[in-house]
Amino acid sequence: GQSFLKWSGTRSPDGVWSGALAADQVFLPSLGLYLGRSPTVRDFSSPVNVRMDYSWETLHKKGQCHWTVHTGTTNLNLPALFRWPLPIDSLVANGSVVVTDGVLDMKGVSFKVTNVDGEAQGVLDLTGLGSQKPWINLATTVRGIPTDRANTYYPAHIMHSGLVTWLEKALHG
């Protein structure tokens, strides 16, 4: 399909930008040049439709953005974590990004991912990206995944091999 990008925005008298960004049939890895080395961007393997609402303000070497993103159907391919690409029918996420002196914090990112097998909901914080000591905090609840498909969704490549073996035997349909 044909890609298109639509952006609208306004700047208030106090310097806050707000608006919307819409893109259809975007192949996210191609945006890596513009978005840096974000692993989640470069590993979507199918074009997606993205809708983002945002507001952005800058104060004293500090920028803050509140955002909401909606995607359509795609596959997320993270071979460092998962054995197979993860199918996604819908991803809805929102949160805020704060940049201070070149260090990025992504806070309170709530997300919901659905596909034919079930859904995952959670909250993600990424703190100190670009610093010497970045950290991640992730809490997720998964529902509706059939046990014979569970091996698609756990990060086998970073799990202890004994646990992977145990799960393979325990989770059969």
Side-chain angles (χ1 to χ4, degrees):
Q2 188 78 355
S3 294
F4 87 85
L5 178 69
K6 181 178 178 183
W7 174 76
S8 64
T10 59
R11 183 173 185 258
S12 67
D14 61 353
V16 176
W17 284 91
S18 61
L21 176 69
D24 285 344
Q25 294 299 302
V26 174
F27 189 62
L28 293 177
S30 67
L31 298 178
L33 175 65
Y34 308 104
L35 300 175
R37 297 178 52 193
S38 170
T40 55
V41 169
R42 73 170 179 257
D43 293 320
F44 277 91
S45 59
S46 303
V48 295
N49 299 332
V50 178
R51 303 290 180 265
M52 182 175 89
D53 299 311
Y54 67 90
S55 68
W56 176 261
E57 58 186 275
T58 57
L59 302 167
H60 314 292
K61 295 187 180 182
K62 179 178 179 179
Q64 181 169 329
C65 175
H66 300 281
W67 54 269
T68 301
V69 172
H70 304 265
T71 72
T73 302
T74 189
N75 290 304
L76 178 58
N77 187 21
L78 295 169
L81 295 175
F82 304 103
R83 293 181 273 194
W84 303 285
L86 301 178
I88 295 174
D89 290 340
S90 171
L91 166 65
V92 178
N94 63 70
S96 66
V97 174
V98 177
V99 181
T100 307
D101 294 326
V103 176
L104 184 135
D105 295 331
M106 192 176 312
K107 297 286 193 173
V109 177
S110 63
F111 62 89
K112 181 176 181 181
V113 180
T114 59
N115 69 16
V116 69
D117 290 328
E119 70 178 37
Q121 287 184 277
V123 177
L124 171 68
D125 288 332
L126 299 170
T127 302
L129 299 176
S131 73
Q132 295 297 315
K133 295 185 179 182
W135 60 272
I136 183 172
N137 185 15
L138 173 66
T140 304
T141 301
V142 178
R143 293 181 185 92
I145 306 296
T147 56
D148 61 346
R149 297 269 304 132
N151 63 354
T152 301
Y153 298 99
Y154 53 78
H157 292 152
I158 62 169
M159 294 168 59
H160 187 278
S161 61
L163 178 57
V164 172
T165 300
W166 180 84
L167 285 169
E168 297 296 313
K169 292 176 182 174
L171 297 176
H172 52 76

